[in-house]
Amino acid sequence: MRATIWTTVREAMAHSGDARGGNSGLHRSLPWLEAEEGRISHGQTYICAAGALASCYPVPHTAVHRTYATWDIVCGSPVTELILQAPQPQREAAEAELASVRSHLPAEATDTLAVITPGCVFPGVSLPSEVNIDNLGALIGAVEAHAQDLGLPVVEFGHLRDDTAADRALHKTLRARGYSAVTVGADAVLDTSPYTDLDAYFSGFRSHRRKVMRKERRLFEGTHATVRVSGPEGLTDDLATLQLARYRQYGQQADRDAVQDRFARAARIPGLKVLRADAGEHSLSAPAGPLGFIAFYEDHKTHRILTRLGAFSGHGAAYFNIAYYELVAYATRVGDMHIHYGDSTYLAKTIRGCSLTRLTSYFRATDESLHHVLSRAGRLRTALEEQQLARATSEGKIR
C-alpha cells in the first residue's frame, strides 16, 4: 500500500480526500489543523494511507513548545509534580527512580517525530470507521520511515483514547510493533445531557457537596458579575493580559505576542465562543473588571464542547463558576453536549461530575538501549498517573 506525504493539511485533504472518521469532529478538520501549522514546530507533514491521516510534527529536544517533548513527558516537570502528590512512603523511591532514569536519558537523545493533534487531547491519527490492520501497520511504518529520514530517533503517538473500535485497533497495532505505552493523564468529560438547567445539575449531588457548590455560587454572585457569551471578537486585550499571567503562573514560556498568536489561531476555527465574567462596579469582594474567561468550541456533529483557552483572576469563586457552573448552564441551554475539560486537576473535576477518559501516549526509539530507558521512564509516569486517576475516580463517585 502506498503512503503519500504532504507538507500542509490543505494539500493532504485536497489530494487524498477527507480522511476523517465519522467521530473525528472539529478537532480533526481542515480549519483546526491548518490553524495549528507552525505553532508546535517550524514544519509539519501529513502522511496519508488508505483513508487514514497522521499529522506529524518534529519536536527536537530544544523546542520551545514542551507539551509534546518526549523528555519532558517521561522525565520532566509533569513527573516531578506527580511525585509531590504521591503518598510519602512512595515519594522517596519515585524520586530515586526518576534521578536514575534522568542519568541514563540525555535530553539530546530524545528528538522526536510526534503524531498529535495540537491544542486538544485527541490523537494525531484520523481513522476510517472500518480499519484494516495491514493498512494501519503500513501507515505507522510510513511514519517511522519519515522519522528516520528526518534523523529523529524517537516516534511518539500522543493522546490515544479508546472511544471507538478504530482507536482500539491503533492501540493494539502500536503495542505489536514494540511501542511503549505511557499513561499521560485523562480527559475529564462532563455529560450535561441529563440536566435542564444549573439547578438540575446541582441537584444531582449529595447534600454536603451541594452545599459546597452553592457556597461557591454565592461568592460569585456577591461580585455582581456580568456574564456574557460572544464569538471570536470576545478575545480582547484585557483577556490576553489574564491569559499571559496564567501561562506564567504555571511556568510556561510565553509573552504577549505568543498569547495574541494563540488568540488569532483560535479565532480562525469555526464555532469559537468566549464566555467571560466581569465584576460589577458595586462589588465589595472583587475589583471591577474581568474575573476571567473560558474559550471553547461547539462541535454539534459530535455533541462536544471543547475547551481551548481560559484564565481567571485571583477571586476565590472565579474559576469554578466560570469554567464549570456558567459553562454548564450554557451547555444545558444548547442541549445534549459533553464538555471536554482536558487533562489536569482530576479530583476537582470528578467531584463536580466529570468522568475520566484515559489518555495513552506511545513511544518507540530506534536504538534499543534508548528504548529500554524510555520504557523504564514511562513505567514510572504511568504508575504515578494511574494512582492519581484511581483516587480521583474513587472520590468522585462519593458526591
Side-chain angles (χ1 to χ4, degrees), residues 225-294:
T226 299
V227 178
R228 59 185 185 272
V229 179
S230 61
E233 72 279 1
L235 291 175
T236 51
D237 286 344
D238 55 350
L239 298 188
T241 300
L242 270 183
Q243 186 73 72
L244 179 58
R246 182 174 176 83
Y247 283 155
R248 289 177 173 171
Q249 177 185 355
Y250 289 96
Q252 298 181 37
Q253 297 183 36
D255 55 23
R256 195 168 188 84
D257 287 343
V259 173
Q260 293 290 5
D261 179 66
R262 291 298 305 274
F263 280 14
R265 289 174 183 272
R268 291 166 55 188
I269 302 169
L272 181 70
K273 303 286 186 181
V274 181
L275 187 158
R276 69 175 287 164
D278 291 88
E281 293 183 1
H282 302 294
S283 171
L284 299 178
S285 60
L291 287 166
F293 80 100
I294 189 160

Side-chain angles (χ1 to χ4, degrees), residues 94-154:
E95 288 172 342
E97 175 66 0
L98 178 59
S100 177
V101 166
R102 284 176 170 176
S103 71
H104 292 90
L105 187 62
E108 56 269 21
T110 59
D111 293 348
T112 299
L113 184 64
V115 182
I116 53 172
T117 297
C120 69
V121 286
F122 287 86
V125 179
S126 293
L127 297 171
S129 55
E130 297 293 330
V131 178
N132 179 291
I133 294 296
D134 290 338
N135 289 347
L136 187 54
L139 176 72
I140 296 169
V143 171
E144 294 166 353
H146 186 56
Q148 188 172 4
D149 290 342
L150 295 175
L152 300 172
V154 179

Side-chain angles (χ1 to χ4, degrees), residues 25-103:
L26 181 64
H27 61 279
R28 294 296 297 173
S29 66
L30 172 62
W32 186 296
L33 291 172
E34 196 167 44
E36 288 296 321
E37 289 182 350
R39 184 172 73 86
I40 303 302
S41 58
H42 294 301
Q44 64 284 314
T45 52
Y46 302 91
I47 299 179
C48 307
L53 182 148
S55 49
C56 309
Y57 302 81
V59 184
H61 71 280
T62 54
V64 173
H65 194 290
R66 310 304 302 163
T67 302
Y68 308 108
T70 295
W71 194 93
D72 287 64
I73 292 170
V74 297
C75 288
S77 57
V79 183
T80 57
E81 290 167 9
L82 285 165
I83 289 174
L84 290 175
Q85 298 173 54
Q88 183 60 46
Q90 300 175 17
R91 200 174 300 168
E92 288 186 9
E95 288 172 342
E97 175 66 0
L98 178 59
S100 177
V101 166
R102 284 176 170 176
S103 71

Side-chain angles (χ1 to χ4, degrees), residues 23-24 27-28 32-33 53-55 57 68 114-118 120-127 156-164 166-168 170-171 174 187 304 357-362:
N23 295 316
S24 291
H27 61 279
R28 294 296 297 173
W32 186 296
L33 291 172
L53 182 148
S55 49
Y57 302 81
Y68 308 108
V115 182
I116 53 172
T117 297
C120 69
V121 286
F122 287 86
V125 179
S126 293
L127 297 171
E156 168 193 345
F157 284 80
H159 290 162
L160 269 66
R161 308 162 73 93
D162 60 359
D163 296 336
T164 67
D167 293 331
R168 292 186 283 276
L170 184 55
H171 281 275
L174 288 168
D187 182 17
R304 291 170 177 154
T357 298
R358 182 177 283 96
L359 302 172
T360 306
S361 290
Y362 284 84

